[in-house]
Amino acid sequence: DKLLLDARESGLKMDVVIYNAAINAHASQGYVESAEHLLEEMLCSHVKADRVTHNTLIKACARSQSWQRALSLFGKMVDANVALDQASIKVFESAVGKHRCTTMC
């Protein structure tokens, strides 16, 4: 939050790179819920989430063993037409398990 506040106050344009840095900071500390809140704020600000955004959040879900949340985020990623790569599939598989990933990917 401090990062975003400082960015706003300094007049920086809030773009995907700044949001991704903030999301990663929250996610890497285990604050999945606040990282998801930043995603919602990002989307409300008309900044399009990219593959890095989604992979970061899904990886955080894997670490916190929140496979249902990962499933929801993956669905949002697909709905937003974000291109999947091998890293996306691997992160998703680690979050939801190989069986669920095989049926969805």
Side-chain angles (χ1 to χ4, degrees):
D1 292 337
K2 173 106 171 79
L3 174 71
L4 291 178
L5 183 59
D6 289 347
R8 285 186 193 108
E9 287 178 355
S10 68
L12 284 176
K13 180 181 181 230
M14 301 303 293
D15 63 8
V16 68
V17 174
I18 293 171
Y19 274 109
N20 281 350
I23 288 169
N24 185 55
H26 284 252
S28 65
Q29 294 296 313
Y31 304 127
V32 181
E33 205 167 295
S34 63
E36 277 189 280
H37 175 74
L38 288 171
L39 170 63
E40 295 303 320
E41 179 182 319
M42 177 182 183
L43 298 174
C44 287
S45 298
H46 306 288
V47 177
K48 187 175 178 183
D50 63 8
R51 183 173 35 234
V52 172
T53 312
H54 291 280
N55 286 354
T56 300
L57 286 163
I58 292 170
K59 187 175 183 178
C61 292
R63 279 191 237 122
S64 67
Q65 299 178 349
S66 302
W67 70 266
Q68 296 96 336
R69 185 175 267 164
L71 195 60
S72 173
L73 287 165
F74 187 79
K76 289 178 184 179
M77 183 178 187
V78 171
D79 290 346
N81 294 316
V82 175
L84 302 176
D85 63 2
Q86 287 301 318
S88 303
I89 302 301
K90 188 173 183 170
V91 167
F92 182 62
E93 183 179 289
S94 72
V96 302
K98 189 170 188 155
H99 174 71
R100 284 187 192 94
C101 184
T102 302
T103 60
M104 294 193 65
C105 300

